[in-house]
Amino acid sequence: MHETYSQIILPFASSPELFEQYTNASGGLRTGMLMEHLDSLAGSIAYKHMLGPIVETLGRVQERGFYIVTASVERLDMLAPLYPVRDICLSGQVIYAGKSSMEVAVKMEALNPNRGEETLMLGRFSMVCRDARMHKARPVNPLIIDTPEEEVLYKMGESSKNRRQYAALQALSRVPPSSDEAADLHATYLKYGQEDESLVRSDRVWMGDTLLEKTMLMFPQERNVHQKVFGGYLMRLAHELGFANACFFMRSHVTFHSLDGISFTQPVPIGSILRLRSQILHTSPPGELPATVHVRVVAGVVNVQTGHEETTNDFRFTWAGDDGKSTPRIIVPKTYQESMLWLEGKRALEMGAQIRGNRIRALEGEQ
């Protein structure tokens, strides 16, 4: 397992030229660009597991006989602020290998000269191996466990895969919502969802009215080794569109909390027209701090001749308002499909709050 470990150092504090390429309008770092690096790192680690630690270049995919793609990103959780700007270390390794898939754990750390490393972000990527000719699943190398620490990581990766499979079986596209979820949805409908003019209020926002979209041409400069659009680039585009939508809704600057999941269903061809659609799915209750908002971004390739659009990616993000105020605005669904998305957003916000709460308690226990 340890032979798959890789890291990248980004010397932002010591290289003004590099920092200039990544800085945002607030003088901090562009989170979407760092996500792009994490996706690239996860892919490099997966190839390192398949090719061995001494191989430095991939070469031609057809000659290797296989290729690796990102199947999904389970989570990326921001655990500490990126500001003040410091040198950043991105690292990761394969922690679990199945028949044709690998779980890659990644970490982003700030390098403090006087205080050591500070963990800023943790995440997990699911990578799958495919045959270069048949494009079907190809077996991956088994993972060798050498130490008790690696055994813990392996069990963590196995648990992550099992949890993702269980969540897929419990998805609202497969099974109905729980009785508690149905009650919450109905209560929201009774309070905010009726068309009676006496109930119209400034804090009600229809989910359909939060749509924000962007259409782009996909150029070869953003291609990966498979001659498709690089998945990390799509992550950055989705993050930036979702950020803008979150700012519009919250009416303030927002801080990134988590990437709650990404599904990669189809590759995006070079030369295609990509449409990104963003929608607000759920918010924290009025009066609750921090005020959080859950955002969905769907990417699809549009066929110019037929007008048909095929979904390629589904991104989910959570942001929090920076102004220290709770949001009085409530997202209200109109259709059954929007209601299921509303509940998915509710689940994501609850899961994110639980993870951040566990992290805070763990840090308090260390002190």
Side-chain angles (χ1 to χ4, degrees):
M1 179 185 291
H2 66 276
E3 290 183 335
T4 66
Y5 178 84
S6 299
Q7 69 176 31
I8 302 172
I9 303 296
L10 299 172
F12 295 121
S14 53
S15 173
E17 296 80 11
L18 181 66
F19 174 65
E20 178 64 25
Q21 299 175 32
Y22 288 77
T23 186
N24 59 28
S26 303
L29 295 170
R30 293 174 60 182
T31 309
M33 294 185 71
L34 296 176
M35 287 183 183
E36 192 171 356
H37 275 306
L38 286 173
D39 183 71
S40 177
L41 178 64
S44 298
I45 290 170
Y47 273 113
K48 188 176 183 179
H49 175 67
M50 291 296 294
L51 298 174
I54 63 173
V55 177
E56 297 182 355
T57 59
L58 173 61
R60 292 175 56 85
V61 170
Q62 292 297 329
E63 293 176 358
R64 296 292 185 186
F66 69 90
Y67 61 93
I68 295 172
V69 297
T70 305
S72 65
V73 182
E74 184 174 351
R75 293 195 65 85
L76 286 174
D77 287 286
M78 185 65 72
L79 305 177
L82 290 171
Y83 195 83
V85 174
R86 294 148 290 178
D87 290 351
I88 297 291
C89 175
L90 307 179
S91 63
Q93 66 186 88
V94 176
I95 61 172
Y96 175 80
K99 292 181 179 179
S100 61
S101 65
M102 293 164 277
E103 299 288 317
V104 179
V106 296
K107 178 166 61 173
M108 182 190 302
E109 295 174 296
L111 305 179
N112 300 303
N114 300 323
R115 294 179 297 166
E117 297 82 12
E118 179 185 9
T119 300
L120 303 178
M121 183 185 291
L122 293 173
R124 294 179 299 278
F125 286 74
S126 176
M127 317 297 292
V128 294
C129 187
R130 295 286 182 263
D131 184 270
R133 292 184 179 180
M134 305 301 294
H135 304 290
K136 294 183 179 180
R138 175 180 172 132
V140 300
N141 297 331
L143 196 62
I144 300 174
I145 310 299
D146 292 322
T147 67
E149 292 77 11
E150 290 184 352
E151 181 67 31
V152 171
L153 289 174
Y154 184 86
K155 290 181 178 179
M156 185 186 303
E158 186 178 31
S159 174
S160 175
K161 180 180 180 180
N162 293 337
R163 184 169 57 250
R164 187 170 58 252
Q165 292 175 340
Y166 176 78
L169 294 175
Q170 298 301 312
L172 292 169
S173 59
R174 292 174 175 264
V175 299
S178 68
S179 57
D180 288 342
E181 290 175 329
D184 287 341
L185 183 60
H186 189 65
T188 300
Y189 164 75
L190 292 177
K191 188 173 183 179
Y192 298 100
Q194 302 183 62
E195 296 287 356
D196 190 333
E197 292 184 0
S198 65
L199 294 176
V200 174
R201 50 182 70 206
S202 60
D203 55 359
R204 179 181 71 183
V205 181
W206 297 116
M207 183 183 292
D209 292 340
T210 67
L211 182 65
L212 185 66
E213 70 174 57
K214 179 179 183 179
T215 302
M216 302 179 63
L217 292 173
M218 295 292 101
F219 293 103
Q221 287 77 11
E222 305 301 338
R223 68 185 181 275
N224 58 21
V225 295
H226 320 302
Q227 304 304 308
K228 304 293 183 181
V229 175
F230 173 46
Y233 175 65
L234 299 176
M235 288 174 63
R236 171 156 65 93
L237 294 178
H239 176 272
E240 292 174 353
L241 180 63
F243 169 82
N245 205 358
C247 288
F248 285 149
F249 181 82
M250 300 292 281
R251 296 172 176 168
S252 74
H253 188 274
V254 294
T255 297
F256 175 72
H257 265 195
S258 59
L259 189 160
D260 304 282
I262 304 177
S263 62
F264 293 84
T265 56
Q266 296 288 338
V268 176
I270 298 298
S272 62
I273 296 178
L274 184 76
R275 180 177 290 155
L276 294 162
R277 288 191 177 92
S278 172
Q279 244 179 337
I280 309 296
L281 300 190
H282 207 90
T283 65
S284 54
E288 182 177 297
L289 291 175
T292 53
V293 57
H294 186 69
V295 184
R296 181 194 193 198
V297 180
V298 177
V301 171
V302 182
N303 186 310
V304 178
Q305 296 178 334
T306 65
H308 174 72
E309 182 175 335
E310 186 173 9
T311 298
T312 58
N313 309 87
D314 191 326
F315 305 84
R316 306 295 176 95
F317 302 96
T318 296
W319 278 274
D322 281 351
D323 57 5
K325 300 177 182 178
S326 65
T327 174
R329 310 176 79 200
I330 290 292
I331 289 292
V332 183
K334 274 190 175 181
T335 67
Y336 189 83
Q337 181 182 23
E338 287 183 350
S339 297
M340 296 302 100
L341 291 172
W342 185 88
L343 289 175
E344 287 179 2
K346 182 175 184 295
R347 289 181 179 182
L349 288 182
E350 291 172 348
M351 174 63 73
Q354 179 182 348
I355 290 174
R356 286 185 289 275
N358 291 341
R359 177 64 178 175
I360 291 172
R361 286 189 290 272
L363 291 175
E364 290 175 347
E366 294 174 359
Q367 297 175 353

